[in-house]
Amino acid sequence: MTSTEYTVRGMTCGHCAGAVTEEVTRIPGVTDVDVDVAGGRVTVRSSGPLPDDAVAAAVDEAGYEVVTG
């Protein structure tokens, strides 16, 4: 089991959390997604390592941005 935390810009409400959760859980191997809207963080748990670009693309599809660097 792997757990990775991402900083996400633009989330402000429960709908935001739901949209991000829905998109990220579509990535093969994802077992759980925890969204902290107030902190701007998304924790992704998976059966193995995930490509960061796959998570960033899923977050982008939901309408938000993974902050890198």
Side-chain angles (χ1 to χ4, degrees), residues 14-62:
H15 173 75
C16 301
V20 169
T21 299
E22 181 179 340
E23 292 299 330
V24 174
T25 55
R26 293 180 181 180
I27 300 170
V30 170
T31 58
D32 188 46
V33 178
D34 181 46
V35 179
D36 174 5
V37 172
R41 289 183 297 276
V42 175
T43 302
V44 180
R45 287 180 265 308
S46 58
S47 55
L50 297 173
D52 288 336
D53 59 341
V55 175
V59 170
D60 182 67
E61 184 65 29

